[in-house]
Amino acid sequence: MLKDSNAKPATDKLSTEHFDPIAECCYLAQLAQLNEWFEQDTVRMQALTVCAAVFAKLNITDWAIAAGFVRDFVWDNLHGFPSRELSALNDIDVIYYCEKNITQTQEKHIEQLLFSVMPLKWSVKNQARMHIRNLDPQYHSCLDAMGYWPEKQTAIAVKLNVLKVQPQQPASSNSSSDIGALVFTHAFELACLFNFSLTHNPKRSLTLFQQRVIQKQWLARYPKLILQPSAKK
């Protein structure tokens, strides 16, 4: 099962007036491809399941695993590379939004909870406080926060919604099962992640973007990527 938290309802007058069936088909195909890739990756699905359990206990609903966890996974697949082990990633970027407790102590506590179940390089950040560090207007959600990230291709995240399903058979009325729905959230068009572009987000300085391109070595690691014009200046 898959969902996209950025999808507009069909009843939206503006979206129906400017509806592009070809673009919509491409978008749905990309969304389906994302879902397929993730469902076939046992370790990534395990990481999402662990996060879902931890945040459910904390009663935090706005959370996701973002950045390279999704971006690099897509680029690996598009380049025909074997996807890297999660342990090889510099960190697993977990974001959440909770205004009740914006201390870094809480973030470290969540990292410890995740690590105790799955020992990876978890990096947990509450987006309800990150605007202070970044000198931005206050963010209102994880999606809003991602809209300020330096490159558009990084501003994508995925979470797992775990739902309890009661069986319909009376004989099994005392049991239930869990099903998970992958939910993809992206601050910019999903197509930019699939068209081999590397795009500066104008909400951040071009210098910062260029520094990250060099530091992350994206163009060397992914030779099919193309810097968009604004990033070449």
Side-chain angles (χ1 to χ4, degrees), residues 135-220:
L135 302 178
D136 292 328
Q138 182 176 359
Y139 307 146
H140 301 290
S141 65
C142 284
L143 176 59
D144 185 29
M146 288 195 299
Y148 288 83
W149 291 2
E151 52 281 333
K152 293 182 177 182
Q153 289 73 16
T154 297
I156 184 169
V158 61
K159 67 183 290 187
L160 185 69
N161 278 350
V162 179
L163 307 172
K164 284 286 185 180
V165 178
Q166 296 295 334
Q168 297 180 353
Q169 297 297 329
S172 305
S173 59
N174 293 328
S175 63
S176 65
S177 59
D178 294 340
I179 61 172
L182 288 170
V183 180
F184 296 94
T185 304
H186 46 95
F188 304 97
E189 290 186 0
L190 188 60
C192 75
L193 188 61
F194 281 84
N195 64 9
F196 298 102
S197 62
L198 187 51
T199 315
H200 168 236
N201 178 3
K203 287 187 177 180
R204 282 285 174 262
S205 74
L206 182 58
T207 299
L208 173 62
F209 170 83
Q210 292 171 333
Q211 289 173 345
R212 283 173 54 83
V213 171
I214 295 172
Q215 176 189 4
K216 303 287 186 179
Q217 298 183 328
W218 286 320
L219 297 179

Side-chain angles (χ1 to χ4, degrees), residues 85-129:
E85 297 292 333
L86 289 185
S87 58
L89 296 179
N90 290 331
D91 48 44
I92 311 297
D93 292 298
V94 178
I95 60 175
Y96 71 100
Y97 191 91
C98 179
E99 294 181 310
K100 294 180 180 179
N101 186 342
I102 62 171
T103 66
Q104 294 186 51
T105 301
Q106 176 71 349
E107 295 172 358
K108 294 300 180 183
H109 172 63
I110 296 175
E111 286 180 1
Q112 291 171 359
L113 290 175
L114 294 171
F115 188 85
S116 67
V117 181
M118 195 173 184
L120 294 173
K121 301 172 186 176
W122 301 100
S123 175
V124 178
K125 295 290 185 293
N126 185 357
Q127 301 305 300
R129 75 168 182 86

